[in-house]
Amino acid sequence: MTFSAEQLTRCPLFDGISPEDLPGMLACLGARSMRADKGSVILREGSPAKDVGILLSGCVQLIRTDFAGNRTIMMNIAPGQLFAESFSCSKARLLPVDIVASEDSEYLLIDCRRIMTSCTHACAFHSRVIFNLLQIVADKNLSLHQRALITAGRSTREKLMTYLLMQAKEANSARFSIPFDRQGLADYLEVDRSGLSAEMSKLKKEGVLDYYKSDFRLLSIPTKDTIE
């Protein structure tokens, strides 16, 4: 598989590293290039937590499945972002989630130990990559905290509106797109899909929001009573 320097330079793990240094750095880190078809498992729950993934193209999701088979989407990963880094950098021996390609995807896998341990060549980029990785892990933990605030809602409506308001704030616009289809959004919010669809229809009739597939528009600023 071939990939461009542009695909790598948009990854925050390589902030501060010049494009001409990237090929040598990847060789030193032992990066492996991989492909995954839509729906395939990239890293399976229960496998060793040792690799850091870098998504080059496509989309992958972190999915938790409970004993009854219910799925929860913990996080959506876009090109340029990392996956499994929090588990690999922790003391976790095994992955607690499945990492699944939700689209045809291309990615790199790097053994976390190769990043965290300076090589015999004492490459100048190592300290920068370690700094970048720690910052990414901290930012990812903040994202998980944000998701916890969303799923703490007492009702489907409260979870949905909290999520949509966060998306609007991030986009700095009343118009925005989300990275989920209806089932994916239900799995992310940890709600029933039919109940989610019913609440969305109610909010549309009430003039709170409009939507088409994954595109949304807030028509009014909801009050606390509207959300709950």
Side-chain angles (χ1 to χ4, degrees):
M1 182 183 76
T2 59
F3 46 85
S4 65
E6 182 182 355
Q7 287 177 298
L8 297 175
T9 53
R10 65 182 174 183
C11 175
L13 183 65
F14 305 133
D15 282 351
I17 297 172
S18 62
E20 55 268 24
D21 289 336
L22 288 174
M25 182 194 67
L26 293 176
C28 182
L29 293 175
R32 297 111 64 198
S33 59
M34 315 285 284
R35 296 178 187 271
D37 295 331
K38 179 179 179 179
S40 61
V41 178
I42 292 174
L43 296 173
R44 192 172 296 280
E45 179 183 359
S47 61
K50 63 183 184 65
D51 288 320
V52 173
I54 302 170
L55 187 62
L56 301 175
S57 66
C59 182
V60 303
Q61 295 176 333
L62 276 63
I63 296 177
R64 185 185 69 209
T65 305
D66 65 20
F67 185 74
N70 300 308
R71 290 188 350 144
T72 299
I73 297 176
M74 304 298 296
M75 188 167 290
N76 218 56
I77 307 297
Q81 294 182 326
L82 271 61
F83 56 87
E85 77 286 349
S86 296
F87 309 123
S88 302
C89 291
S90 72
K91 293 183 179 180
R93 292 189 308 108
L94 303 176
L95 286 174
V97 297
D98 287 323
I99 300 177
V100 180
S102 55
E103 299 175 5
D104 292 344
S105 301
E106 298 177 329
Y107 58 97
L108 299 177
L109 288 180
I110 301 174
D111 189 322
C112 188
R113 293 170 297 181
R114 298 285 292 267
I115 298 176
M116 301 301 289
T117 305
S118 296
C119 66
T120 55
H121 303 292
C123 300
F125 62 77
H126 250 109
S127 60
R128 180 68 192 191
V129 171
I130 291 172
F131 173 82
N132 291 342
L133 180 60
L134 291 175
Q135 191 167 47
I136 291 167
V137 169
D139 289 342
K140 191 67 68 69
N141 286 339
L142 287 176
S143 295
L144 290 172
H145 173 69
Q146 184 182 59
R147 182 183 179 278
L149 293 176
I150 294 169
T151 57
R154 292 168 291 181
S155 66
T156 297
R157 173 176 288 222
E158 187 173 352
K159 292 179 181 181
L160 173 62
M161 289 308 304
T162 301
Y163 172 71
L164 294 179
L165 287 168
M166 286 183 177
Q167 293 297 301
K169 183 176 181 179
E170 185 175 328
N172 195 30
S173 172
R175 295 177 180 269
F176 53 90
S177 297
I178 66 172
F180 300 114
D181 59 16
R182 290 292 176 270
Q183 186 59 58
L185 180 58
D187 290 342
Y188 181 80
L189 299 177
E190 298 185 17
V191 299
D192 178 71
R193 177 176 175 173
S194 60
L196 172 64
S197 296
E199 285 297 338
M200 289 174 60
S201 295
K202 289 178 184 177
L203 288 164
K204 190 172 186 176
K205 290 178 181 178
E206 293 167 12
V208 176
L209 59 84
D210 194 12
Y211 56 86
Y212 176 72
K213 294 186 177 180
S214 296
D215 297 324
F216 285 78
R217 180 164 64 104
L218 293 179
L219 302 176
S220 64
I221 304 299
T223 63
K224 187 173 185 293
D225 290 339
T226 303
I227 293 177
E228 296 180 351

